């Protein structure tokens, strides 16, 4: 298979030269490296220092594109991977290569590809390079649009597992119809309606000595969205047939997921509301692998995604075995020229989210909830469980004072149940209040100074934190930042985490050099999280694209 | 090793014809409009005036800063150069439903699209956001920039004026 693919790539080269003059080669490159040091304050001794002392993650993509053909590859070299990444990423190789062509409206991809059906709760292959997450398919994908507004996709393939591939084969089909595009009589009406559906099935041999496991696991999903003027409404429901796995402790229960959204927006005002219920919905290419490895689907965490340092200490990650939650988000701009808004107006962002366990009852008197080899439990769809996993509300107010100065004040209140959320271990319900003040000041054209003052107050886990940051930037090339995180409320070890970093950007090339200490913690982007150990050292990051 | 050799050969055999072309055309990729329509990037149009494409996400602070900064001077820019700004969000399903309320809440006057599967992001080799492209009248990429520092929009405007 591989040989054929490379052969195709090779032979096709000269042909394109004759046929297509508009071919174009492009690409990108990124490397992140760190030199690690011992640190008595952090408890890093020569024994738990990585033996290589210097670690590096790097990759480069090359992409060749013409009007209806493209081919690309990614080469990765990790010698060895940075701390916090899975060691199975050590090494080098071509981890992604594909060819894609478009003929008579049929779009064909051979090789690796990323894909998402609907919201991704039934199928989503994606990469989050900075978290070491990549579950790309290797196989074949077809996309076809037989009529206006009708989009069909089908795929078959296996998913990436570090430098290898998962055992299971995934087959999928997705169809979507946009009624207003398909029917001319509807094209001009105010209400836009889209409906869609998917079918996904995986195959994995049953070699289990105890249980008779389903070798083919099917799942289906249906979705709709309606746009009416300033309103948006949508929902997706996913059903998965019994799929005993390491994550659900080998129970034979079906899985379900529901995600619903409602949104309203007009100039200067936006509001959205989302609800979800997830029940036994981990779906992996390999039933024996848990967590985020070779996930076929993606279960989004319905909580606000933070970027301020102290606000990221307690991030929520979806609990695939069962959760239900809500999120409300408000975005409002008080107009300039009003009494409250003043000369420049005021920006307001408010968010509320929560997540609870789902209701679970034993299937009969003799069987414990979630016992292996049984149907696991029964669950009332609309009943909330007893455990609160997470709750957060936040308010952010931004105000431009004058042409030079802008202030952003934020308050967050987080309840984080560490007994259930993967990350820190059993500290019970961690309740934290976080205050943040950011100032942005323009010293002169292209020269700016930015500061952050942050405080996190909690009686649990590691106690209180304080943080300060000063950043000086000169557009369009330079930045210099100094920061310190101080875990002054820690009863065992009050630790400072100072850090200094500087960077240079020219067009698409960026260098960033840092020196300092890194706290231990969970770092999340989207729904994917990575545990990063504490460290002390120099780091260098280079990215470029052409 | 053999694989790498084959790939290098492949690239070399193409280098000759690659060398003949000048600027990259905007790749043809499907994205979604904020009212759910599938839109191909081929249909991005600004009557022979320049187009700016800026990648952002609801959780990306520098992205919002950049788009806020452009939004404040957008009227002047449009009057003088006819430029159009297209803001492409790479938010996934965690935040995709928030994109329209977020952009409207900020009062951004831009065309907004969602690139949920990152198809356009990959086709344009974007590593990290914010990442901004400038397209000329032929929809060829003539300039691009990654990250945002206060005042970077002035450099972008100088590039627009060169067209």
């Amino acid at each position: 298979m591989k040989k054929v693919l490379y052969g195709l790539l090779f032979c096709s080269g000269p042909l394109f030269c004759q046929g297509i003059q508009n071919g174009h080669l492009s690409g990108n490159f990124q490397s992140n490296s760190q030199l690690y040091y011992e640190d008595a304050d952090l408890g890093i001794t020569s024994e738990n220092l990585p033996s290589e002392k210097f670690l590096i993650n790097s990759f480069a993509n090359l992409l060749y594109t013409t009007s209806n053909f493209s081919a690309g590859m990614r080469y990765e070299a990790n010698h060895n991977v940075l701390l916090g990444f899975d060691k199975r990423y050590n090494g080098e190789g071509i981890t992604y290569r594909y060819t894609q062509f478009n003929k008579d409206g049929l779009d064909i991809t051979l090789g690796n590809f990323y894909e998402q059906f609907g919201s991704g709760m039934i199928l989503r292959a994606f990469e989050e390079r900075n978290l070491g997450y990549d579950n790309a398919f290797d196989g074949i994908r077809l996309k076809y649009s037989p009529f206006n507004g009708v989009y069909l996709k089908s795929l078959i393939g296996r998913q990436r597992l570090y430098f290898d591939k998962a055992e299971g084969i995934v087959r999928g089909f997705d169809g979507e119809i946009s009624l207003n595009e398909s029917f001319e009589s509807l094209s001009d009406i105010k209400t836009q309606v889209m409906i869609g559906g998917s079918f996904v099935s995986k195959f994995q041999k049953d070699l289990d000595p105890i249980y008779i496991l389903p070798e083919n696991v099917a799942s289906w999903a249906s979705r709709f969205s309606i746009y009416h003027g300033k309103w948006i409404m949508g929902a997706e429901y996913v059903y998965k047939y019994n799929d005993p796995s390491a994550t659900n402790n080998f129970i034979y229960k079906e899985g379900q997921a529901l995600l619903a959204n409602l949104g309203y927006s007009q100039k200067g005002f936006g509001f959205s509301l989302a609800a979800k219920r997830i029940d036994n919905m981990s779906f992996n290419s390999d039933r024996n692998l848990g967590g985020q490895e070779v996930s076929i689907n993606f279960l989004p965490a319905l909580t606000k995604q933070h970027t301020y340092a102290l606000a990221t200490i307690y991030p929520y990650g979806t609990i695939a075995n069962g959760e239900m939650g809500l999120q409300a988000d408000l975005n409002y701009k008080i107009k300039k020229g009003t009494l409250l808004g003043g000369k420049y107006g005021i920006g307001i962002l408010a968010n509320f989210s929560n997540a609870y366990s789902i209701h679970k009852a034993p299937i009969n008197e003799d069987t414990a909830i979630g016992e292996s080899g049984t149907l696991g439990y029964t669950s009332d769809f609309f009943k909330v469980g007893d455990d609160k996993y997470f709750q957060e509300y936040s308010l952010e107010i931004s105000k431009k004072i004058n042409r030079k100065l802008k202030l952003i004040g934020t308050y967050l209140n987080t309840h984080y149940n560490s007994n259930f959320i993967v990350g820190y271990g059993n500290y019970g319900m961690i309740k934290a209040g976080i205050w943040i003040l950011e100032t942005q000041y323009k010293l002169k054209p292209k020269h700016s100074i930015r500061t952050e003052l942050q405080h996190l107050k909690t009686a649990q886990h590691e106690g209180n934190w304080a943080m300060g940051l000063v950043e000086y930037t000169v557009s369009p090339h330079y930045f210099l930042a100094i920061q310190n995180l101080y875990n002054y409320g820690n009863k065992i070890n009050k630790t400072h985490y100072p850090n200094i970093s500087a960077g240079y950007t020219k067009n698409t090339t960026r260098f960033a050099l840092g020196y300092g200490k890194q706290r231990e913690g969970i770092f999340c982007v989207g729904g994917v999280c990575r545990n990063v150990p504490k460290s002390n050292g120099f780091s260098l990051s280079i990215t470029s694209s052409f | 090793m053999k694989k790498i050799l084959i790939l290098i050969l492949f690239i070399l055999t193409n280098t000759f014809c690659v060398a003949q072309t000048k600027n990259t055309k905007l790749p043809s990729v499907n994205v979604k409009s904020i009212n759910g329509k599938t839109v191909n990037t081929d249909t991005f149009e600004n009557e022979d005036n320049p187009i700016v494409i800026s990648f952002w996400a609801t959780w990306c602070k520098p992205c919002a800063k950049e788009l806020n900064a452009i939004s404040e001077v957008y009227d002047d820019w449009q009057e003088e150069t006819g430029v159009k700004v297209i803001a492409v969000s790479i938010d996934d399903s965690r935040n995709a439903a928030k994109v329209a309320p977020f952009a409207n809440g900020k009062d951004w006057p831009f065309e907004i699209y969602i690139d949920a599967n990152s198809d356009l992001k990959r086709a344009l080799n974007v590593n990290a956001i914010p990442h901004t492209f400038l397209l000329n009248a032929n929809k060829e990429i003539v300039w691009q920039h990654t990250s945002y520092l206060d005042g970077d929009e002035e450099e972008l405007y100088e590039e627009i004026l060169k067209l």
Side-chain angles (χ1 to χ4, degrees):
Chain A
M1 180 62 212
K2 265 187 189 166
K3 277 183 187 163
V4 175
L5 204 68
Y6 288 121
L8 261 171
L9 267 171
F10 181 54
C11 299
S12 57
L15 287 174
F16 287 121
C17 277
Q18 293 159 15
I20 303 149
Q21 296 295 311
N22 294 322
H24 185 82
L25 191 67
S26 65
N28 63 14
F29 166 81
Q30 182 175 320
S31 95
N32 292 317
S33 53
Q34 189 166 351
L35 189 60
Y36 295 87
Y37 292 121
E38 291 175 33
D39 188 306
D41 289 342
L42 301 183
I44 303 168
T45 61
S46 57
E47 278 164 30
N48 42 31
L49 203 65
S51 355
E52 303 93 333
K53 299 221 165 42
F54 173 79
L55 298 172
I56 182 165
N57 293 6
S58 50
F59 68 85
N61 281 296
L62 281 178
L63 197 62
Y64 177 78
T65 328
T66 69
S67 53
N68 48 14
F69 174 87
S70 73
M73 58 162 274
R74 185 196 314 123
Y75 176 78
E76 284 177 39
N78 306 316
H79 296 124
N80 279 325
V81 282
L82 296 171
L83 291 185
F85 287 82
D86 197 290
K87 292 276 177 255
R88 283 168 286 181
Y89 275 123
N90 284 347
E92 69 290 307
I94 292 163
T95 54
Y96 175 85
R97 73 279 179 276
Y98 78 95
T99 62
Q100 181 175 18
F101 62 95
N102 220 312
K103 183 78 183 137
D104 306 324
L106 182 63
D107 180 333
I108 303 167
T109 308
L110 280 112
N112 297 104
F113 54 87
Y114 297 99
E115 186 53 81
Q116 174 170 337
F117 289 173
S119 67
M121 291 200 305
I122 186 163
L123 181 138
R124 185 183 182 209
F126 69 110
E127 53 166 343
E128 201 57 78
R129 211 122 285 287
N130 295 325
L131 296 172
Y133 187 90
D134 186 353
N135 63 347
F137 283 107
D138 193 353
I140 295 175
R141 175 182 61 186
L142 304 180
K143 288 189 196 177
Y144 191 58
S145 177
F147 311 104
N148 258 351
V150 178
Y151 305 93
L152 306 176
K153 292 186 226 177
S154 66
L155 62 85
I156 185 160
R158 293 200 292 151
Q159 288 184 288
R160 177 177 180 189
L161 179 64
Y162 307 104
F163 279 103
D164 201 353
K165 262 167 269 181
E167 201 185 301
I169 299 170
V170 179
R171 291 87 38 118
F173 174 81
D174 185 77
E176 189 173 296
I177 173 165
S178 169
L179 297 179
N180 307 70
E181 288 173 59
S182 297
F183 301 101
E184 236 170 72
S185 55
L186 298 175
S187 62
D188 289 332
I189 65 166
K190 200 179 170 190
T191 310
Q192 306 267 326
V193 180
M194 190 281 298
I195 51 174
S198 327
F199 176 81
V200 174
S201 148
K202 71 154 174 183
F203 170 79
Q204 185 184 11
K205 263 200 146 66
D206 172 22
L207 301 170
D208 198 276
I210 310 163
Y211 300 122
I212 300 165
L213 298 171
E215 294 193 323
N216 289 288
V217 175
S219 64
W220 56 266
S222 57
R223 62 182 186 269
F224 76 91
S225 51
I226 299 172
Y227 302 84
H228 180 82
K230 294 163 180 169
W231 291 90
I232 310 174
M233 193 178 142
E236 182 169 44
Y237 173 80
V238 187
Y239 184 92
K240 183 172 63 96
Y241 292 87
N242 70 88
D243 177 24
S245 69
T247 306
N248 70 13
N249 195 31
F250 289 91
I251 59 169
Y252 285 73
K253 190 183 183 301
E254 86 292 348
Q256 293 183 86
L258 177 71
L259 176 67
N261 295 301
L262 178 70
Y264 174 86
S265 64
Q266 62 178 59
K267 272 205 171 314
F269 177 79
F271 176 77
S272 71
L273 193 66
K276 70 163 171 182
R277 182 182 187 277
I278 285 163
D279 178 5
N280 190 26
M281 262 315 286
S282 78
F283 195 15
N284 287 56
S285 267
D286 185 334
R287 64 173 83 85
N288 299 310
L289 296 176
Q292 296 164 345
E293 280 173 348
V294 291
S295 250
I296 296 171
N297 65 346
F298 170 76
L299 303 167
L302 278 195
T303 58
K304 190 176 164 76
Q305 196 161 330
H306 300 292
T307 48
Y308 286 119
L310 295 188
T312 58
I313 290 186
Y314 299 115
Y316 186 66
T318 305
I319 295 172
N321 280 342
E323 64 164 40
M324 53 204 294
L326 288 172
Q327 178 173 222
D329 199 69
L330 176 84
N331 206 321
Y332 182 56
K333 192 171 177 183
I334 301 176
K335 282 207 178 83
K336 50 187 169 190
T338 57
L339 186 65
L340 219 62
K343 193 177 171 188
Y344 298 100
I346 294 176
I348 296 173
L349 278 173
N351 184 279
F352 172 82
S353 63
N354 66 19
Y356 284 84
S357 61
I358 55 168
H359 162 260
K360 287 182 183 180
I363 47 169
N364 59 45
E365 282 171 8
D366 308 321
T367 312
I369 288 177
E371 196 177 312
S372 298
T374 72
L375 284 173
Y377 55 89
T378 61
S379 179
D380 184 335
F381 195 90
F382 294 100
K383 213 165 158 185
V384 181
D386 300 328
D387 297 303
K388 179 158 126 183
Y389 292 153
F390 187 83
Q391 178 187 298
E392 184 178 82
Y393 59 85
S394 65
L395 181 68
E396 180 189 304
I397 295 175
S398 55
K399 169 81 184 148
K400 193 170 167 181
I401 306 293
N402 55 41
R403 292 182 74 141
K404 289 185 164 175
L405 180 66
K406 188 178 177 185
L407 300 176
I408 304 168
T410 306
Y411 176 72
L412 268 99
N413 187 294
T414 307
H415 290 187
Y416 175 98
N417 196 333
S418 61
N419 295 356
F420 294 94
I421 307 170
V422 180
Y424 295 110
N426 296 316
Y427 289 91
M429 183 69 83
I430 300 170
K431 295 179 180 177
I434 304 162
W435 289 95
I436 300 159
L437 177 69
E438 178 179 346
T439 62
Q440 299 168 4
Y441 188 74
K442 272 188 189 144
L443 290 161
K444 52 185 173 179
K446 301 195 174 183
H447 287 245
S448 295
I449 193 160
R450 193 174 73 84
T451 64
E452 283 177 18
L453 288 171
Q454 306 185 21
H455 186 260
L456 182 149
K457 186 172 187 291
T458 179
Q460 293 87 27
H461 194 213
E462 293 174 325
N464 296 354
W465 289 79
M467 189 263 192
L469 172 145
V470 183
E471 182 186 81
Y472 190 88
T473 61
V474 184
S475 166
H477 297 307
Y478 306 96
F479 84 86
L480 175 70
I482 299 169
Q483 67 168 54
N484 186 22
L485 270 79
Y486 181 30
N487 189 196
Y488 75 94
N490 198 317
K491 288 184 184 107
I492 304 155
N493 194 0
K494 299 187 195 317
T495 318
H496 286 278
Y497 296 87
N499 202 300
I500 179 163
S501 56
Y504 172 76
T505 309
K506 190 180 180 196
N507 298 334
T508 59
T509 302
R510 187 167 194 266
F511 298 89
L513 183 68
Y515 174 66
K517 301 186 188 188
Q518 168 76 55
R519 79 173 167 89
E520 182 176 19
I522 323 161
F523 290 81
C524 301
V525 177
V528 181
C529 301
R530 173 167 79 96
N531 241 311
V532 177
K534 52 195 169 186
S535 67
N536 176 357
F538 273 103
S539 64
L540 175 66
S541 153
I542 304 170
T543 84
S544 187
S545 69
F546 71 96
Chain B
M1 196 57 222
K2 209 174 130 197
K3 285 184 201 167
I4 297 168
L5 268 172
I6 291 171
L7 275 150
I8 289 170
L9 263 171
F10 164 66
I11 291 157
L12 286 178
T13 53
N14 279 305
T15 316
F16 177 67
C17 63
V18 168
Q20 295 175 351
T21 63
K22 289 171 203 150
N23 291 320
T24 320
K25 275 255 182 195
L26 179 67
S28 161
V29 170
N30 282 348
V31 291
K32 286 230 168 174
S33 73
I34 49 174
N35 57 6
K37 277 193 178 155
T38 302
V39 176
N40 194 282
T41 49
D42 287 342
T43 64
F44 287 2
E45 202 47 66
N46 191 26
E47 294 162 357
D48 291 343
N49 287 317
I51 297 176
V52 169
I53 297 180
S54 182
F55 281 86
W56 69 287
T58 55
W59 43 264
C60 166
K61 289 224 186 269
C63 302
K65 250 175 130 177
E66 175 173 38
L67 291 169
N68 279 335
I70 296 174
S71 154
E72 283 178 21
V73 289
Y74 196 47
D75 287 344
D76 297 340
W77 283 20
Q78 281 196 311
E79 210 168 282
E80 283 166 49
T81 63
V83 68
K84 177 198 254 185
V85 173
I86 293 173
V88 178
S89 152
I90 59 160
D91 276 294
D92 62 30
S93 54
R94 178 177 185 181
N95 295 311
K98 287 188 207 164
V99 168
F102 189 91
N104 277 329
K106 297 256 179 219
D107 208 355
W108 288 341
F110 314 127
E111 258 179 44
I112 312 270
Y113 294 97
I114 302 173
D115 184 26
N117 193 33
S118 291
D119 290 324
L120 185 59
K121 179 179 174 244
R122 262 190 299 278
L124 286 168
N125 292 296
V126 172
N127 264 341
I129 54 167
H131 193 122
T132 303
F133 295 86
L134 175 61
L135 275 54
N136 64 13
N138 300 324
K139 291 199 275 183
E140 293 165 342
I141 296 163
V142 289
W143 181 86
Q144 51 175 312
H145 187 91
T146 182
S147 81
Y148 175 78
L149 303 175
D150 269 331
D152 275 2
E153 69 279 5
E154 287 164 37
E155 193 197 12
L156 168 62
Y157 192 56
E158 282 162 26
E159 294 294 331
I160 297 171
L161 288 175
K162 284 183 198 165
L163 292 176

